[in-house]
Amino acid sequence: MKSRMDSRTKPLLLIDVDGPLNPYLALTAEGAPEGYVRHWMRPSGWPADQPLPVLLNPEHGVELLALADRYELVWATTWEDDANEWIAPVLGLPELPYVEWSGPERRAPLGTFWKTPYVLEYAAGRPFAWVDDEITSYDRAWTDQRHLAAALLMRIDPRIGLTRPDFDTLAEWAAAL
């Protein structure tokens, strides 16, 4: 008997960067909040003469790796594959698959976040948890109507980022599946 789920049976953990991992609204002139380090990054398409300040907490990498026993980790960020180049090494994460936002435009009803149809398409009927700073009740309702598998949509405050209770919620939700 296998004690661990393989990647085909694990739920997805869809991870946004800006907001959950990079609490961009917490950055002040005084610096980064406790536990976070400011990094200067230049993802694809970003002006070379204007590096982007990104706040990252190395403990988030440890927490995400601990969840990798229960989830298949996936980037669900506008950084797309740039998250593997810029974010993953800082957090000690391996290269992860990512949701591509290109292709035919997906439509969602008014009030629904533009990422939501892409997320549901990527999940393709699999259970998933999604952490993002722009999730609303409209996204939850739309997902409940169109996604037959279990789904946990967690809105993360971009002034705070992911916290210990968020990681606990993710672990408990996956364990209950």
Side-chain angles (χ1 to χ4, degrees):
M1 176 188 275
K2 289 170 69 172
S3 62
R4 295 176 190 244
M5 295 181 278
D6 67 28
S7 65
R8 291 166 300 183
T9 60
K10 289 181 185 180
L12 301 167
L13 175 52
L14 303 163
I15 310 159
D16 184 28
V17 169
D18 296 317
L21 296 178
N22 170 27
Y24 58 90
L25 291 181
L27 185 61
T28 66
E30 294 81 38
E34 185 176 339
Y36 286 85
V37 177
R38 184 187 327 211
H39 301 270
W40 295 97
M41 300 185 175
R42 290 184 179 89
S44 299
W46 196 261
D49 62 340
Q50 297 176 352
L52 176 66
V54 177
L55 298 173
L56 295 173
N57 182 336
E59 285 301 310
H60 286 165
V62 173
E63 295 288 353
L64 289 169
L65 287 173
L67 289 172
D69 280 348
R70 299 173 186 244
Y71 288 97
E72 179 185 339
L73 306 180
V74 177
W75 294 120
T77 173
T78 56
W79 288 71
E80 292 185 320
D81 195 36
D82 279 343
N84 285 317
E85 179 180 348
W86 294 94
I87 306 299
V90 174
L91 297 180
L93 296 174
E95 185 172 319
L96 301 177
Y98 60 92
V99 178
E100 291 186 56
W101 311 116
S102 60
E105 182 179 342
R106 277 86 173 159
R107 297 242 180 236
L110 186 62
T112 304
F113 186 28
W114 67 267
K115 284 183 180 178
T116 305
Y118 290 88
V119 164
L120 295 186
E121 181 179 286
Y122 188 90
R126 285 177 67 182
F128 72 89
W130 176 25
V131 293
D132 201 296
D133 62 310
E134 296 194 50
I135 292 170
T136 69
S137 60
Y138 294 106
D139 302 297
R140 288 184 188 92
W142 205 69
T143 299
D144 287 347
Q145 293 170 2
R146 286 166 179 75
H147 189 73
L148 299 179
L152 173 66
L153 281 66
M154 294 177 60
R155 184 192 176 280
I156 306 300
D157 188 331
R159 296 168 298 177
I160 299 170
L162 285 163
T163 62
R164 166 86 266 135
D166 297 323
F167 289 108
D168 292 343
T169 297
L170 289 165
E172 291 164 8
W173 184 81
L177 289 179

